[in-house]
Amino acid sequence: MTIAQKLRGVGIGAGYFAAFQYEAWTRIPEVEITAICDSSESKARALMAKYEIPRYYEDWRRMIETERPTFADIITPPPAHEQMCAFAAANGVNIICQKPLAPTEEASKRIVAAAKAARVRFMVHENWRWQPWYRKIKQIRDAGTIGTFTHIHFLMRMGDGWGENPYSPRQPFFREYPRLLIYETGVHFIDTFRFLLGSVNSVFAQVRQFNPLICGEDAARLLLTFDSGASALWDANRYNEAETETPRFTFGELRIDATQGHLTMDTAADMRVKVLGESAQSVSYARENKNFAGDCVYFLQRHFVDCMLSGQEFESNGGDYLQTIKVVEAAYDSARTAQVVALGKS
């Protein structure tokens, strides 16, 4: 594929997570990132120098109009996403957009509708399900190695939200989010649990704020039930610490119970399966501590490009993401009312 044939992308955003995305694009030969826009020119130019991106713009509208890219990679905080997606869509530019997609469910729906109306390809950058351990777990599920999955239990302790400067230096804006843990982090796990167990039909949630210096919740217990009868428990906070040097590798510990055994995974992504009545066995699979969380950003972006070239649908398309957001909203309704919120069978 020549340069002229490559998918030409532009990036909007030069914050903490943007570096993972620009780095991953450099390893996808079918893509050329031609320009970056960010309010901080110094941050943008640092990424441009590191990843050989030729042009900088201070105005993202002008960048889209001038560059006329195949796609825009939107890597900004959620409040800016709606206007950026609408403008890109109106200009016939395909979109890959970071999550959370928008501050509200209604705004998320408008973003998805605008892309659909403009007939541009639209994908949410929901990278969790692309972590190699979850792809392997899906293979184990499909193979029936331990039977039908019946329950997921995930324990997450991050330790980046305590003290006088929580979430620094990575994402200090988290402090201002009125809704934090489920909205920003739990959404990943909801999507992943849906990837493994199917459609959610009820939600029960409890939330708590430990650090008084932030606006939103930093602890949550989220119980989901699924159409299949399976369940998932996400027991999480970003206040207390995990006993690992790399809490951001797997973000926690996992156990999956099934009809014929169970599966466990630790914070190093070491996985074991145990069939009922038999000894536990280690699971061999490829993963490395590269880029972010097992190189999931690369795997997601590779999927984006493959689908762009083949015409196949994205896994994390707009409609699928809205199903996850429905669960997020139900979780906050449940936490407010202390009641189970039924979603009904999909």
Side-chain angles (χ1 to χ4, degrees):
M1 180 175 283
T2 67
I3 291 292
Q5 296 172 315
K6 287 189 175 188
L7 300 179
R8 298 175 70 253
V10 296
I12 308 177
Y16 159 70
F17 206 83
F20 296 121
Q21 294 179 221
Y22 293 124
E23 190 281 327
W25 289 126
T26 67
R27 290 184 276 135
I28 299 178
E30 299 93 335
V31 167
E32 177 189 21
I33 302 298
T34 66
I36 289 181
C37 175
D38 192 82
S39 58
S40 170
E41 183 173 352
S42 61
K43 287 183 179 180
R45 291 200 178 277
L47 291 172
M48 291 166 63
K50 189 170 185 178
Y51 301 116
E52 300 182 352
I53 299 169
R55 287 178 290 282
Y56 167 76
Y57 292 80
E58 61 179 355
D59 185 314
W60 51 267
R61 293 178 181 86
R62 181 168 173 267
M63 179 175 69
I64 288 173
E65 290 174 337
T66 303
E67 295 291 322
R68 298 190 176 277
T70 312
F71 70 92
D73 189 3
I74 299 174
I75 326 168
T76 63
H81 290 173
E82 185 172 4
Q83 60 177 333
M84 290 176 177
C85 288
F87 188 85
N91 282 272
V93 175
N94 303 292
I95 301 163
I96 179 169
C97 185
Q98 256 295 345
K99 46 60 59 191
L101 192 52
T104 67
E105 183 179 15
E106 292 72 22
S108 297
K109 289 178 179 178
R110 290 194 298 268
I111 291 171
V112 173
K116 184 176 181 180
R119 301 188 180 215
V120 299
R121 303 294 302 275
F122 180 81
M123 180 175 168
V124 179
H125 191 109
E126 182 46 82
N127 56 57
W128 232 251
R129 64 168 68 188
W130 290 96
Q131 293 169 9
W133 34 93
Y134 292 123
R135 307 311 281 196
K136 184 61 179 180
I137 289 169
K138 184 73 170 285
Q139 291 176 7
I140 291 169
R141 189 207 70 174
D142 292 346
T145 305
I146 53 174
T148 302
F149 287 7
T150 59
H151 181 64
I152 293 176
H153 183 185
F154 196 96
L155 179 68
M156 185 191 95
R157 299 291 184 269
M158 296 303 298
D160 59 351
W162 64 275
E164 296 180 356
N165 294 296
Y167 311 109
S168 294
R170 295 186 187 96
Q171 294 154 307
F173 52 88
F174 281 4
R175 303 172 202 166
E176 308 304 320
Y177 280 9
R179 304 190 302 179
L180 177 58
L181 190 65
I182 296 175
Y183 171 74
E184 205 291 325
T185 310
V187 64
H188 287 304
F189 288 92
I190 292 168
D191 179 78
T192 302
F193 297 160
R194 289 182 55 245
F195 171 67
L196 295 173
L197 297 179
S199 297
V200 177
N201 66 24
S202 75
V203 182
F204 180 72
Q206 297 172 316
V207 301
R208 186 172 177 184
Q209 180 187 347
F210 286 122
N211 193 326
L213 300 180
I214 68 172
C215 296
E217 83 283 0
D218 50 12
R221 294 175 67 195
L222 184 61
L223 177 63
L224 310 178
T225 60
F226 295 78
D227 288 354
S228 64
S231 61
L233 175 64
W234 185 60
D235 179 353
N237 79 55
R238 298 191 70 150
Y239 186 87
N240 292 105
E241 296 173 315
E243 294 184 25
T244 174
E245 294 182 359
T246 55
R248 299 177 68 81
F249 188 43
T250 65
F251 278 64
E253 301 171 85
L254 172 76
R255 175 173 171 127
I256 298 178
D257 289 335
T259 55
Q260 297 173 31
H262 71 265
L263 175 153
T264 59
M265 183 185 73
D266 64 17
T267 56
D270 291 329
M271 196 183 304
R272 293 168 67 82
V273 296
K274 186 181 185 306
V275 176
L276 291 173
E278 298 181 10
S279 299
Q281 302 293 322
S282 296
V283 176
S284 176
Y285 70 105
R287 81 275 191 190
E288 56 183 324
N289 193 359
K290 182 176 183 177
N291 190 280
F292 175 77
D295 213 15
C296 62
V297 172
Y298 167 81
F299 293 125
L300 177 145
Q301 292 176 189
R302 179 71 261 178
H303 172 72
F304 173 83
V305 170
D306 289 343
C307 290
M308 285 290 294
L309 296 175
S310 70
Q312 292 183 329
E313 188 53 86
F314 305 125
E315 279 193 25
S316 299
N317 58 42
D320 184 79
Y321 182 80
L322 291 179
Q323 294 301 309
T324 295
I325 289 302
K326 186 186 298 183
V327 181
V328 170
E329 294 299 322
Y332 283 108
D333 288 345
S334 174
R336 186 180 65 256
T337 62
Q339 300 292 321
V340 173
V341 174
L343 299 176
K345 291 204 171 187
S346 300

